[in-house]
Amino acid sequence: MKKQLLLLAFPLLFTACEQVVDVPEPDHTPALALRYTLPTLAPPDTAWRAFTAYQQLYISTSRRLFDQRPLLGLATATARLLTDDGTVVEEFQPAAPYQRYYLGSSDTAGYYRPTRGFVAQPGGSYRLQVSAAGYATVESRLTLPPAAPTITAAAFAPSAGSSEYSRKGRLTLTVQDDPATADYYVAYARLLDDQGQPLPNGYVSRNYDDNTDSDTDFNGGRFLLSFPGSNSELYPFADAQVAGTAFSLTAEVQLSAYDPRTGQALIGGQLEVTVARITRDAYEHYLSRRRYYDASGNPFAEPAPLYSNITNGYGLFGGAVETSVRIGL
């Protein structure tokens, strides 16, 4: 009986300790927020910009802490790219929302496209300035990596499980790291036709039936295949453990494409694999983005703030020096 009364006392004890605390909302001054990864490629076409949507210039504004409204882009900003001596080399204008590369649905407004056809140079230093009425002007500076990555081998080996709608296989890729610098990389792939043109909705995805390259607890120490059209599928890699040596990516992948007008499956003729050597700021932002998504919905996760290098605002101005190889299928 004594034991029973003791157990009944516990709920009363914890109930008596309950206290409601009001947490005041922090002060917030709205500021510009943006993301942009400056490439060294020739002026890209619409298909490439859609494929790399997360790396294109996107401008929005910050929100107060408890604002749960959907994020909307800002289409009234002015954006310029300058060299260190202040010369304007590129200007941007609002672009129509990109069609999601393989889903066919529109993204939000807020994207901008370059208008001068400027091609950034490896090793070059650049500044990005963005202004808009009612907000403080924001700015960020970077120096691009000195050279493109060196891909020494790339192959695709078909595997069982292919169908008329998609092909499965193993993608292998080897990159030679530069021993003189600390380097950061991102790798991605897309499906082309026999003439080397992008296939409508041609998509190369990791085969999740195979768990050898699982992104669980990803920390930047593994070289995984990314998809630059999504802000949740970028997996940056640091050369800390492989500095100056050759390192490899091995991924079980699935290749698929279809004609959005007819729904008919398309068979690709080439697999284009791109490796980008990215700036440290891009690496830190992509990695913090991964932590943010990994922590989403977990009340016990550590805080996962996003890395930012924008003065007077928020977001990323990163850079990438790319090289690509094509594998015949």
Side-chain angles (χ1 to χ4, degrees):
M1 183 68 172
K2 195 178 291 184
K3 204 177 286 185
Q4 196 172 24
L5 290 174
L6 185 61
L7 291 173
L8 288 172
F10 273 107
L12 296 174
L13 178 63
F14 286 113
T15 302
C17 293
E18 183 178 316
Q19 185 177 4
V20 176
V21 178
D22 289 328
V23 179
E25 183 176 12
D27 291 335
H28 173 248
T29 301
L32 294 174
L34 63 93
R35 66 171 187 252
Y36 182 47
T37 301
L38 175 67
T40 54
L41 299 170
D45 57 22
T46 301
W48 180 260
R49 288 198 298 269
F51 175 62
T52 58
Y54 185 70
Q55 297 180 342
Q56 302 303 309
L57 178 58
Y58 178 83
I59 302 173
S60 184
T61 59
S62 65
R63 293 286 182 83
R64 60 184 179 81
L65 183 61
F66 300 122
D67 191 339
Q68 298 297 312
R69 291 174 298 170
L71 181 65
L72 297 176
L74 184 68
T76 57
T78 299
R80 306 186 304 166
L81 184 71
L82 305 90
T83 55
D84 268 351
D85 63 4
T87 302
V88 177
V89 292
E90 186 60 272
E91 296 176 294
F92 300 82
Q93 68 179 29
Y98 292 112
Q99 293 295 309
R100 294 265 185 197
Y101 188 67
Y102 64 101
L103 296 178
S105 59
S106 295
D107 209 332
T108 64
Y111 284 101
Y112 288 71
R113 64 178 181 84
T115 60
R116 293 193 182 184
F118 173 73
V119 179
Q121 298 301 306
S125 295
Y126 302 95
R127 286 186 291 140
L128 180 68
Q129 290 182 344
V130 178
S131 59
Y135 299 92
T137 297
V138 302
E139 181 172 305
S140 187
R141 180 187 180 280
L142 61 73
T143 298
L144 288 167
T150 301
I151 300 175
T152 58
F156 175 77
S159 62
S162 298
S163 69
E164 62 178 310
Y165 300 104
S166 66
R167 276 186 278 187
K168 295 181 179 180
R170 172 169 291 187
L171 172 65
T172 55
L173 179 71
T174 303
V175 177
Q176 176 62 50
D177 186 61
D178 185 346
T181 56
D183 296 307
Y184 310 92
Y185 301 92
V186 173
Y188 34 87
R190 62 175 179 164
L191 199 55
L192 311 176
D193 64 17
D194 289 325
Q195 286 71 46
Q197 297 301 310
L199 283 172
N201 298 287
Y203 188 48
V204 181
S205 63
R206 287 159 52 203
N207 181 6
Y208 289 96
D209 293 337
D210 178 89
N211 294 318
T212 57
D213 63 351
S214 171
D215 60 357
T216 303
D217 297 326
F218 176 79
N219 61 7
R222 283 173 295 156
F223 196 26
L224 301 179
L225 190 67
S226 297
F227 175 49
S230 168
N231 59 14
S232 62
E233 294 186 55
L234 283 167
Y235 303 96
F237 174 73
D239 72 346
Q241 303 299 320
V242 299
T245 65
F247 60 95
S248 297
L249 177 152
T250 301
E252 298 296 331
V253 297
Q254 184 168 318
L255 318 180
S256 60
Y258 72 93
D259 187 331
R261 298 165 300 179
T262 64
Q264 181 180 1
L266 302 173
I267 303 300
Q270 300 179 37
L271 179 61
E272 182 182 69
V273 183
T274 299
V275 178
R277 194 172 169 188
I278 60 176
T279 55
R280 181 182 177 87
D281 282 336
Y283 170 80
E284 296 290 353
H285 181 85
Y286 294 165
L287 191 60
S288 70
R289 176 71 65 168
R290 286 270 14 115
R291 295 194 189 104
Y292 176 84
Y293 277 98
D294 290 343
S296 179
N298 181 0
F300 303 106
E302 292 289 333
L306 294 181
Y307 179 90
S308 173
N309 68 345
I310 306 297
T311 302
N312 294 329
Y314 304 96
L316 166 72
F317 176 41
V321 181
E322 308 91 341
T323 189
S324 299
V325 294
R326 293 183 176 181
I327 304 169
L329 299 175

